[in-house]
């Protein structure tokens, strides 16, 4: 698979290399960053009033000392769609003195067999632990 030579393309290439199926919908987190807590809270409140189909989370990042609104959307991680959503959210964040700070996905997604819960195991005479 070929990806554009920019940050988004590099992220998609890394995801593909890690074995993530880019043809399936994933939970994609978009990060909106604000210096001021009130700005972040106002942006989050405004997002709840939109047609946005996703989850929102407000965090304080102690390392950067900035406030983050995380917008989690279920979507196929296709380059053009990601860039469009990132641009849209950046314009939105700027209305509240914030910026978009990229996007990401958790490597473990619903249905991943690699991370299946090992608690289902029942010991028997063949166990060696």
């Amino acid at each position: 698979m070929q990806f554009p030579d920019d940050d988004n393309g590099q992220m998609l290439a890394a995801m593909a290399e890690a074995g993530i199926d880019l043809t399936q919908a994933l939970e994609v987190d978009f990060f909106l960053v604000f210096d001021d807590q009130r700005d972040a809270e106002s942006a989050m409140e405004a997002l709840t009033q939109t047609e946005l189909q996703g989850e929102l989370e407000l965090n304080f990042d102690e390392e950067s000392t900035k406030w983050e609104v995380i917008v989690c959307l279920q979507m196929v991680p296709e380059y053009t769609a990601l860039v469009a959503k990132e641009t849209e959210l950046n314009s939105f964040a700027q209305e509240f003195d914030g910026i978009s700070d990229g996007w990401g996905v958790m490597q473990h997604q619903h249905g991943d067999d690699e991370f299946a819960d090992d608690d289902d195991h029942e010991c028997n005479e063949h166990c060696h632990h």
Side-chain angles (χ1 to χ4, degrees):
M1 223 181 259
Q2 292 288 343
F3 300 101
D5 187 21
D6 62 10
D7 289 343
N8 290 319
Q10 290 170 9
M11 177 73 112
L12 287 168
M15 290 168 58
E17 191 173 302
I20 297 174
D21 184 353
L22 301 180
T23 66
Q24 299 296 311
L26 301 171
E27 291 178 358
V28 180
D29 294 330
F30 292 88
F31 302 94
L32 308 180
V33 178
F34 304 86
D35 289 324
D36 185 81
Q37 179 180 0
R38 288 180 304 250
D39 291 336
E41 290 172 344
S42 295
M44 189 160 164
E45 178 63 28
L47 279 169
T48 64
Q49 306 300 318
T50 68
E51 300 288 318
L52 184 75
Q53 298 291 314
E55 295 180 27
L56 301 173
E57 184 178 332
L58 178 64
N59 285 322
F60 180 71
D61 184 331
E62 291 188 23
E63 187 175 317
S64 69
T65 67
K66 295 192 186 287
W67 290 87
E68 287 182 329
V69 172
I70 302 171
V71 180
C72 181
L73 302 175
Q74 189 79 14
M75 63 186 291
V76 174
E78 191 271 323
Y79 179 84
T80 305
L82 288 166
V83 170
K85 185 54 74 175
E86 189 173 32
T87 300
E88 173 189 331
L89 289 171
N90 189 56
S91 295
F92 172 83
Q94 288 176 344
E95 294 176 27
F96 298 89
D97 294 324
I99 60 167
S100 172
D101 192 28
W103 58 271
V105 297
M106 295 294 290
Q107 188 151 355
H108 170 59
Q109 294 281 330
H110 179 69
D112 285 351
D113 292 334
E114 180 181 344
F115 296 97
D117 191 2
D118 290 333
D119 291 340
D120 294 344
H121 173 76
E122 291 186 26
C123 291
N124 61 35
E125 67 270 14
H126 301 292
C127 288
H128 299 287
H129 55 88

